[in-house]
Amino acid sequence: MSVPEGVLSERSLAGEISERGAALTVLFDTEYPRLRGLAYVLLGDAHFAEEIAQEAFVRAFSSWTRMRDLDWPTGYLRKIVINLCRGRIRRQRIETRVNALVNARPDPAKGWDEQRSDVRLDLWEAVRRLPERQRACIVLRYLEDMSDSEVARVLGCSSGTVKTHMSRARSSLERMLDGELQEVIR
């Protein structure tokens, strides 16, 4: 009795996954504490360090063919951890700046300007309505205080493209805000 062709490929796939799982288990047992420690040193937060170390193994498992071809899989895992930590640090910076803007409530006793506050809210609402690339350029430039070349590097495009997106975003914001921003910022 012959075995159908699809069953053989499913069995070989199951064997590949089993082999990958066994190899990653050994790697996990030896490298997880080091990777968690690396993430902790970079972030200073044990909870996020554990999450990042675990995420590194999830990513390694999903890109097993690339990792299997490497001479030094622990180096690949460390690279994943460092990149994940860098992403987390970037998100923390953005969250801190955005929270500072959102939570900044002027003290009415110190001459709170209601019109200026309303325009600030209108501005962020208008930024949220921009196309994704324009919004990213505006946020990276003004919230993250990045240069055009840094924004280009983050977005994976040229500085000229960033300048084009910035110009279009500013024009769109000016139209959306109908000149209100010009009067209040002066």
Side-chain angles (χ1 to χ4, degrees):
M1 180 169 156
S2 70
V3 179
E5 186 176 316
V7 174
L8 287 176
S9 64
E10 286 177 14
R11 285 184 185 163
S12 63
L13 179 61
E16 170 74 21
I17 291 173
S18 175
E19 174 188 321
R20 179 177 14 167
L24 261 174
T25 299
V26 170
L27 195 57
F28 182 88
D29 291 342
T30 58
E31 294 301 319
Y32 178 77
R34 290 183 195 140
L35 295 174
R36 185 184 61 218
L38 173 64
Y40 179 75
V41 169
L42 292 171
L43 296 174
D45 185 308
H47 173 72
F48 286 123
E50 284 198 30
E51 282 185 13
I52 284 178
Q54 291 169 8
E55 178 66 21
F57 280 98
V58 168
R59 291 186 182 196
F61 187 81
S62 65
S63 62
W64 180 252
T65 55
R66 186 176 337 147
M67 193 169 145
R68 186 175 56 187
D69 294 337
L70 295 173
D71 294 333
W72 192 37
T74 57
Y76 181 67
L77 284 166
R78 282 188 181 89
K79 183 177 178 179
I80 293 171
V81 166
I82 289 169
N83 287 336
L84 289 171
C85 286
R86 288 175 62 207
R88 177 70 194 149
I89 290 167
R90 270 194 306 271
R91 281 190 302 279
Q92 284 175 324
R93 284 185 192 146
I94 292 169
E95 287 173 11
T96 300
R97 288 182 178 171
V98 168
N99 287 337
L101 283 173
V102 169
N103 295 327
R105 292 188 173 89
D107 184 5
K110 294 184 180 182
W112 179 59
D113 184 356
E114 185 176 333
Q115 182 184 8
R116 188 176 188 102
S117 179
D118 288 345
V119 170
R120 183 180 291 159
L121 292 174
D122 291 344
L123 171 65
W124 287 112
E125 189 58 41
V127 168
R128 285 187 200 103
R129 287 184 276 164
L130 290 172
E132 183 179 334
R133 288 292 237 179
Q134 291 177 17
R135 184 174 58 239
C137 287
I138 290 289
V139 169
L140 291 172
R141 178 70 179 99
Y142 294 107
L143 269 178
E144 285 295 305
D145 197 28
M146 291 182 173
S147 67
D148 287 345
S149 61
E150 290 171 323
V151 172
R153 191 171 344 127
V154 169
L155 296 179
C157 61
S158 70
S159 292
T161 301
V162 169
K163 289 176 184 177
T164 299
H165 285 310
M166 291 294 291
S167 175
R168 289 177 182 166
R170 286 186 195 114
S171 295
S172 294
L173 288 172
E174 191 173 329
R175 280 191 309 275
M176 283 188 250
L177 295 171
D178 197 34
E180 292 176 27
L181 183 64
Q182 303 296 326
E183 296 170 18
V184 175
I185 290 180
R186 286 185 212 154

